[in-house]
């Protein structure tokens, strides 16, 4: 009997793009904040009008908030990319980002369809997202979203391994 090993890499790269673009915006906003708030040296130019001086703190505050929001978005997007790793399926175990488990420890494998619910009406709205649920006997759940993995190929690999 030949040992089968299937390895599935994550498909979604939008978190990388979001992390990079938010990092660039954060760097640009902090540079803009420093340049905008630099003390101006005495020159022969007339002083800034009172209207422009009145909005100076508001513009600085806006640039600082832009910096904070983009920096935290970039960090958490990068963290998400680190947590989504490859899925390995062999004859003896399944390894997901949530850990490694033997086939003997798996209670149930199924696909769950998740749909957003409107907050006040309770009606289902929006697109459905398929999630491959691997539930261990101890209750630990491995949830793999179709947004990150090709669930059809993973399902075919699970069926192929289970038939052997």
């Amino acid at each position: 009997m030949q040992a089968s090993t299937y390895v599935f890499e994550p498909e979604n790269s939008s978190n990388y793009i979001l992390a990079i673009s938010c990092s660039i915006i954060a760097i640009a906003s902090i540079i803009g904040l420093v340049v905008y708030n630099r003390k101006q040296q005495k020159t022969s130019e007339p002083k800034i009008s009172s209207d422009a001086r009145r909005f100076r703190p508001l513009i600085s505050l806006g640039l600082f908030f832009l910096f904070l929001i983009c920096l935290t978005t970039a960090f958490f997007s990068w963290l998400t990319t680190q947590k989504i790793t490859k899925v390995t399926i062999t004859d003896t175990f399944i390894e997901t980002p949530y850990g490694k488990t033997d086939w003997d420890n798996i209670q149930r494998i199924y696909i769950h369809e998740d749909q957003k619910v409107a907050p006040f009406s309770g009606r289902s709205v929006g697109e459905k997202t398929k999630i491959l649920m691997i539930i261990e006997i101890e209750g630990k759940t491995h949830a793999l979203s179709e947004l990150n993995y090709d669930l059809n190929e993973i399902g075919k690999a699970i069926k192929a391994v289970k038939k052997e």
Side-chain angles (χ1 to χ4, degrees):
M1 186 167 153
Q2 184 180 354
S4 300
T5 301
Y6 301 93
V7 178
F8 301 96
E9 293 288 334
E11 293 181 338
N12 192 350
S13 64
S14 64
N15 285 326
Y16 288 111
I17 296 167
L18 182 63
I20 291 170
S21 60
C22 282
S23 298
I24 291 170
I25 293 171
I27 291 169
S29 65
I30 198 69
I31 290 171
L33 183 66
V34 169
V35 168
Y36 185 73
N37 286 316
R38 242 183 4 192
K39 290 191 177 187
Q40 296 188 2
Q41 298 175 359
K42 295 181 182 180
T43 59
S44 60
E45 296 178 21
K47 290 191 171 188
I48 301 172
S49 67
S50 63
D51 288 338
R53 263 187 279 137
R54 184 173 42 174
F55 292 114
R56 193 170 188 90
L58 187 62
I59 293 171
S60 296
L61 186 67
L63 284 171
F64 181 70
F65 282 153
L66 179 67
F67 167 73
L68 282 180
I69 290 168
C70 287
L71 186 68
T72 55
T73 302
F75 173 73
F76 286 115
S77 296
W78 170 80
L79 190 63
T80 301
T81 62
Q82 299 303 310
K83 296 222 179 238
I84 298 175
T85 59
K86 65 183 179 182
V87 174
T88 306
I89 300 173
T90 67
D91 294 335
T92 56
F93 66 88
I94 295 179
E95 185 175 6
T96 68
Y98 304 102
K100 186 177 184 180
T101 184
D102 292 331
W103 284 104
D104 299 337
N105 293 335
I106 295 176
Q107 177 183 9
R108 186 173 174 208
I109 299 175
Y110 67 98
I111 292 187
H112 172 74
E113 287 190 359
D114 189 37
Q115 189 172 18
K116 292 182 182 178
V117 177
F120 298 112
S121 68
R123 295 183 187 161
S124 297
V125 295
E127 295 179 7
K128 292 182 180 181
T129 304
K130 292 181 181 176
I131 301 171
L132 178 66
M133 305 292 282
I134 303 170
I135 301 174
E136 295 182 22
I137 293 173
E138 297 90 29
K140 183 178 178 182
T141 303
H142 304 250
L144 306 173
S145 173
E146 72 176 343
L147 300 175
N148 298 320
Y149 299 99
D150 185 5
L151 296 186
N152 292 330
E153 292 299 318
I154 293 175
K156 289 176 186 176
I158 290 172
K159 287 179 184 176
V161 168
K162 291 301 266 179
K163 284 182 182 178
E164 290 178 3

